[in-house]
Amino acid sequence: MTLPLSILDLATIGKEQTAAESLAGSVAMAQSAEELGYRRVWYAEHHNMSSIASSATSVLIAHVAAHTESIRLGAGGIMLPNHSPLTIAEQFGTLETLHPGRIDLGLGRAPGSDQNTMRALRRDPMAADSFPQDVLELQGYLTGPTRIQGVEATPGKGTNVPLYILGSSLFGARLAAQLGLPYAFASHFAPAALQDAVALYRREFHPSAQLDAPHVIAGVNVIAADSASEAQEMLRATKRARVSLFFGGGGREFTDDEADMVLDSPQGQHVSQMMTYSAVGTPDVVLEYLDSFSRHADADELIVAHQSPGTAARLRSVELLAQAAGLVRA
């Protein structure tokens, strides 16, 4: 691989696993990624999802940063309409102050939750409409000058935490291009508009103080294992887990046979479609796929979501990919 490789850690809480065990796994993954030569690890804001432990994203980043030394860490991303820009500037300004030169701030405008959860978050349903203005307000708190006279972020002001726009549509691509910010496309779960969005971003990009040329990060799923059969078994287990996530309202758990029936149904095809971009197999097969995908996506960097079920299997996938890609150990 000639492109940098990064990790999107979904902080998955597996079956019969506690949130504490999941978070311990996130620390172990970041430590491994740091040692093996990955560029960064990001965590995503999700709420009211029993299988994801990264809801308090900035708190998780702080914890992982305290247990690592050099790898970049960040949000991939913070759903900005859930928060005031000042609050996020203070949180990430604090992170950057404590861990200089290591913090990224990826921003999305999706709710990351359902309508009831939006109400519980006290979120205005129209908040997403002001996303571009909120990004600029947040940027002002971090880089100056502030856009609200007399209001500064402390810590935050002058920290220059780099911003990234996350998206899965043309909207985010156009905004990132207009603001001259890096663009991360969520092709690991929303693949449809990948090529159109990247082409638009590169075509309309305007240089900025943060970035003088376009930078595209493309998301892709990875399951690297010691054998092809083991990787395929893990892929099936991952899809079964998603059946429970998307179709298990009220906390319902599906047996393997029930999950397979859903996956084979028209409704279940959505799960497979979400994982269109997935590198699954032995390390050489995974690496060949990622090389092809990087050209397909016209990417400058790949951020991989290691989807193997269980912490040990994910850590093995992290290690196998790093070895195959020739990453340089820290």
Side-chain angles (χ1 to χ4, degrees):
M1 282 295 296
T2 58
L3 298 187
L5 290 178
S6 297
I7 292 176
L8 175 64
D9 180 1
L10 301 174
T12 303
I13 305 173
K15 285 185 178 181
E16 300 181 359
Q17 187 182 43
T18 65
E21 291 168 336
S22 169
L23 297 176
S26 289
V27 171
M29 180 178 287
Q31 291 172 335
S32 179
E34 179 174 80
E35 179 186 357
L36 292 168
Y38 286 85
R39 171 169 286 189
R40 67 184 97 238
V41 182
W42 280 359
Y43 309 91
E45 176 187 352
H46 293 281
H47 298 283
N48 193 31
M49 299 184 76
S50 61
S51 61
I52 296 179
S54 54
S55 54
T57 315
S58 59
V59 178
L60 176 55
I61 293 169
H63 179 67
V64 176
H67 288 81
T68 52
E69 296 180 0
S70 59
I71 193 166
R72 295 196 68 89
L73 301 166
I78 289 293
M79 300 300 108
L80 191 54
N82 291 343
H83 313 274
S84 75
L86 177 60
T87 297
I88 297 303
E90 291 169 340
Q91 290 177 6
F92 280 80
T94 299
L95 287 169
E96 175 65 23
T97 301
L98 292 171
H99 307 282
R102 296 182 57 197
I103 303 301
D104 300 327
L105 177 48
L107 301 168
R109 67 176 182 132
S113 57
D114 55 38
Q115 289 188 345
N116 285 338
T117 307
M118 287 173 62
R119 286 199 292 273
L121 288 166
R122 302 298 189 266
R123 172 177 171 165
D124 181 348
M126 304 303 293
D129 295 344
S130 62
F131 180 66
Q133 293 76 24
D134 288 346
V135 171
L136 289 172
E137 182 183 336
L138 172 58
Q139 188 176 51
Y141 292 134
L142 295 171
T143 65
T146 180
R147 289 177 174 261
I148 298 184
Q149 186 174 0
V151 178
E152 305 281 4
T154 306
K157 181 180 180 181
T159 56
N160 298 309
V161 176
L163 303 184
Y164 298 74
I165 299 297
L166 279 58
S168 58
S169 68
L170 302 186
F171 177 91
R174 181 168 284 113
L175 178 63
Q178 290 173 348
L179 299 183
L181 297 176
Y183 180 53
F185 192 90
S187 35
H188 63 291
F189 76 90
L194 171 62
Q195 289 184 303
D196 288 343
V198 170
L200 184 152
Y201 168 70
R202 290 194 180 279
R203 185 172 62 248
E204 298 189 5
F205 180 84
H206 295 282
S208 68
Q210 178 177 326
L211 193 65
D212 59 4
H215 186 83
V216 172
I217 303 176
V220 58
N221 301 294
V222 167
I223 298 177
D226 292 291
S227 70
S229 59
E230 183 183 4
Q232 289 300 322
E233 289 175 8
M234 291 180 180
L235 175 62
R236 195 68 175 177
T238 299
K239 289 183 176 181
R240 287 168 177 163
R242 292 198 173 195
V243 169
S244 295
L245 179 63
F246 295 119
F247 300 100
R252 178 187 173 186
E253 291 287 339
F254 290 80
T255 66
D256 288 350
D257 288 342
E258 289 172 338
D260 288 342
M261 289 179 62
V262 174
L263 288 170
D264 292 336
S265 72
Q267 307 96 289
Q269 295 306 305
H270 177 63
V271 174
S272 295
Q273 187 270 337
M274 290 177 67
M275 297 191 69
T276 295
Y277 296 124
S278 297
V280 180
T282 54
D284 56 331
V285 171
V286 167
L287 189 63
E288 182 179 0
Y289 181 95
L290 293 182
D291 187 53
S292 174
F293 172 74
S294 66
R295 295 192 300 271
H296 173 81
D298 194 14
D300 301 294
E301 179 179 343
L302 298 183
I303 188 162
V304 300
H306 288 277
Q307 297 285 4
S308 307
T311 298
R314 283 194 292 276
L315 290 174
R316 182 60 174 158
S317 183
V318 167
E319 181 182 18
L320 289 173
L321 175 56
Q323 292 172 351
L327 300 186
V328 178
R329 288 178 177 266

